[in-house]
Amino acid sequence: MNTLVNWFELPVQQLDRAVAFYEHVLGGQFRHETVAGIEMAVFPHVKPATGGALVKGPMFQPVSGGTVVYLATANLAAALERVREKGGECCFGPEVLPQGIGTIALIIDSEGNRVGLHQPA
């Protein structure tokens, strides 16, 4: 096993709004699917990279205090501006990490989830 993390899901209340938020903030197009009655929009990724999706269903509720998933961005400052343009907010950072790890920030997305953004050094 090369990695323990192989998939992630971000709960949403309004899938179209969340897709518009993340496409605006990060770019890329989402693939829409329905699996076991759960509406999903899959983040763009190329295998073997870890994939994930925005998910809408009765057992999925957005939360601002749970697990944090960090999404990559080439330009953190520009991504944070796009977060604000779509009604999200920055709740931490930007913070430059030691040892050339890069810069991070935490946002609250359009659905109320706390999500990390990471710009590699």
Side-chain angles (χ1 to χ4, degrees):
M1 182 177 329
N2 293 338
T3 181
L4 289 175
V5 178
N6 66 357
W7 184 257
F8 66 90
E9 295 176 341
L10 293 177
V12 304
Q13 294 177 357
Q14 293 183 19
L15 190 59
D16 291 340
R17 176 179 64 195
V19 167
F21 178 88
Y22 281 103
E23 284 183 346
H24 184 73
V25 171
L26 299 173
Q29 298 292 309
F30 283 69
R31 184 179 77 243
H32 292 265
E33 298 180 355
T34 300
V35 177
I38 299 166
E39 295 178 66
M40 306 176 87
V42 179
F43 280 90
H45 68 286
V46 177
K47 295 206 181 277
T50 299
L54 303 169
V55 294
K56 181 178 186 239
M59 64 183 173
F60 297 99
Q61 295 300 316
V63 63
S64 64
T67 302
V68 178
V69 173
Y70 283 83
L71 304 174
T73 179
N75 185 330
L76 183 58
L80 290 174
E81 181 59 33
R82 292 189 297 269
V83 164
R84 288 186 273 283
E85 289 171 1
K86 280 295 197 181
E89 65 178 280
C90 180
C91 61
F92 173 81
E95 181 73 23
V96 177
L97 300 175
Q99 302 175 359
I101 295 170
T103 305
I104 62 168
L106 294 176
I107 65 165
I108 303 298
D109 71 8
S110 63
E111 307 306 295
N113 292 303
R114 183 182 55 175
V115 177
L117 298 177
H118 174 240
Q119 176 184 319

